[in-house]
Amino acid sequence: MVTVNIGMLHYILDHVYGAFVHRTKITPPFFSRGWGGTKLELLERLISQVFPEVEGQNWPPSLIQPIWRTVWETQNACLREGVFRTPCDEQLLSALPPESHNARVAFLVPKDVPPQKMACVLHLAGTGDHTFERRLRLGGPLLKQNIATMVLESPFYGQRRPMLQRGAKLLCVSDLLLLGRATIEEARSLLYWLDSEAGFGKMGVCGLSMGGVHAAMVGSLHPTPVATLPFLSPHSAVVAFCEGILKHATAWEALREDLAAKEAAMTLEEVRERMRNVLSLTDVTRFPIPKNPNAIIFVAATDDGYIPKHSVLELQKAWPGSEVRWVTGGHVSSFLLHNNEFRKAIVDGLNRLEWKESSL
């Protein structure tokens, strides 16, 4: 009985936090400028082209050449920051805000270890994670196990945030799809750089919440096996914006008015159905199974007010061989209290990969 009450407290905490952040007028809602017009049509078309025609045939990642500067260096580790032009093609580039054209990345590496004997995990941003610090804190303790951490600043976030956007509240629905598509391109290029240029022996990709959805997509579409580690993640953005707490943070009235101006008057329920259809493009269960399914570890929370249990189980069902680990808590409390569980999943996922054969 006590467990149920504690679980309920975690669930209530998510709702209290959600009400404070999303229902008060401290920040504007998501998608206050509507659907995104022709950009949304472009993104719907481009994302439907992501799925390979033949199982296991992924388009090759673009090679990038980040320009690095050293932030600090100790006897045991080095933190560098890199900048590179986003590898998105011209169509995507024209849709991205100019502020997002250059990508930023932090790279925390153990010293005096040959790269082929090291692993590196790329950490993708959750909703509202604008800086490198939280993800560097998650990865930092893994240096002792010869695991480097690379942190990508998302398009639309941090220094890449469009001038008119407040915080993480994307202005248009098309921005959410654009953020995801560009993140996948950039992440695959970074993994390719870690493999071909830096020579790491193993690689992984992880993320919390929205970052976990993107990590799953990257793990699915990358041409070589990587550890795929989604934490506190739904199987689709539909769950977050149409079922979970973020439905209270969405500008449904603005979306309805935008549709009414272009098409026809709709009820709010019809607008929500339209949103479900658009965001179904983010359904990870439609993506191919990653090359090494036993190196996929989902970490989910028992009492998550943002991500219902059924969503996590749909992912496991779609990707046989993957593992789900449960931590006790809600979305917010797990995010704060369960970093050791996330680190353990990273280590275990990497241990399930073979070391790359050295070319020396």
Side-chain angles (χ1 to χ4, degrees):
M1 191 64 189
V2 176
T3 309
V4 173
N5 290 341
I6 290 172
M8 185 54 74
L9 278 174
H10 289 304
Y11 187 77
I12 290 168
L13 173 65
D14 281 351
H15 281 268
V16 169
Y17 175 82
F20 176 72
V21 173
H22 303 309
R23 296 202 201 190
T24 55
K25 301 298 180 198
I26 297 171
T27 57
F30 283 97
F31 317 133
S32 57
R33 298 277 179 105
W35 296 90
T38 54
K39 278 190 187 179
L40 182 62
E41 293 157 26
L42 169 70
L43 266 296
E44 287 181 296
R45 191 170 73 251
L46 288 177
I47 289 171
S48 61
Q49 293 166 7
V50 162
F51 306 106
E53 295 294 315
V54 181
E55 190 74 22
Q57 287 194 356
N58 307 124
W59 78 103
S62 307
L63 183 61
I64 50 167
Q65 291 295 346
I67 298 162
W68 298 101
R69 70 177 183 89
T70 300
V71 180
W72 55 253
E73 199 166 350
T74 66
Q75 279 187 311
N76 303 316
C78 175
L79 177 66
R80 293 189 291 164
E81 284 187 11
V83 181
F84 61 95
R85 178 88 165 161
T86 184
C88 296
D89 64 23
E90 286 307 312
Q91 278 186 306
L92 273 177
L93 203 60
S94 64
L96 271 174
E99 297 91 338
S100 290
H101 285 194
N102 287 324
R104 288 199 324 136
V105 65
F107 192 24
L108 181 61
V109 192
K111 283 172 72 176
D112 302 325
V113 183
Q116 67 270 22
K117 294 190 175 173
M118 277 196 288
C120 185
V121 175
L122 174 60
H123 293 238
L124 303 181
T127 303
D129 190 355
H130 289 270
T131 67
F132 297 139
E133 278 69 30
R134 193 205 60 74
R135 286 172 281 164
L136 287 173
R137 282 200 305 274
L138 178 61
L142 299 173
L143 286 170
K144 294 192 289 288
Q145 299 183 59
N146 292 338
I147 298 171
T149 291
M150 184 173 263
V151 180
L152 174 66
E153 181 180 69
S154 280
F156 294 90
Y157 277 26
Q159 293 183 22
R160 307 178 72 187
R161 179 165 57 92
M163 197 167 57
L164 296 175
Q165 180 184 304
R166 293 274 305 279
K169 299 298 175 68
L170 302 173
L171 294 170
C172 300
V173 175
S174 59
D175 292 346
L176 184 66
L177 298 180
L178 193 50
L179 186 163
R181 186 71 170 78
T183 297
I184 290 169
E185 289 288 335
E186 291 169 7
R188 292 173 79 248
S189 289
L190 286 167
L191 289 171
Y192 184 49
W193 182 87
L194 286 166
D195 184 9
S196 62
E197 298 290 309
F200 277 82
K202 292 183 183 185
M203 290 160 306
V205 58
C206 75
L208 277 149
S209 200
M210 174 185 77
V213 176
H214 295 151
M217 293 173 175
V218 172
S220 162
L221 295 171
H222 199 64
T224 58
V226 293
T228 304
L229 307 150
F231 305 145
L232 310 179
S233 303
H235 74 284
S236 160
V238 173
V239 175
F241 287 97
C242 300
E243 292 180 37
I245 290 168
L246 290 184
K247 71 183 176 190
H248 303 301
T250 300
W252 296 110
E253 201 54 56
L255 292 168
R256 178 162 75 170
E257 286 168 14
D258 191 21
L259 284 174
K262 295 184 182 69
E263 297 171 22
M266 285 189 175
T267 65
L268 278 178
E269 191 41 57
E270 287 172 321
V271 175
R272 287 193 176 97
E273 192 52 41
R274 171 78 193 275
M275 179 72 95
R276 285 187 195 100
N277 287 338
V278 170
L279 295 187
S280 68
L281 289 166
T282 67
D283 186 342
V284 179
T285 65
R286 296 175 55 193
F287 282 64
I289 301 172
K291 308 286 180 296
N292 195 336
N294 75 331
I296 307 166
I297 302 175
F298 302 104
V299 181
T302 52
D303 300 282
D304 194 321
Y306 287 77
I307 316 297
K309 278 185 182 177
H310 78 80
S311 184
V312 181
L313 297 173
E314 281 183 46
L315 275 168
Q316 186 187 30
K317 184 179 170 188
W319 288 356
S322 61
E323 180 187 350
V324 175
R325 297 179 179 180
W326 296 94
V327 293
T328 303
H331 201 75
V332 175
S333 61
S334 297
F335 175 81
L336 297 171
L337 302 175
H338 288 300
N339 281 338
N340 282 337
E341 294 299 323
F342 302 143
R343 291 185 192 111
K344 186 172 187 325
I346 288 171
V347 171
D348 292 347
L350 289 169
N351 282 340
R352 294 172 188 180
L353 291 176
E354 297 292 325
W355 285 101
K356 192 175 70 177
E357 291 295 319
S358 174
S359 55
L360 298 176

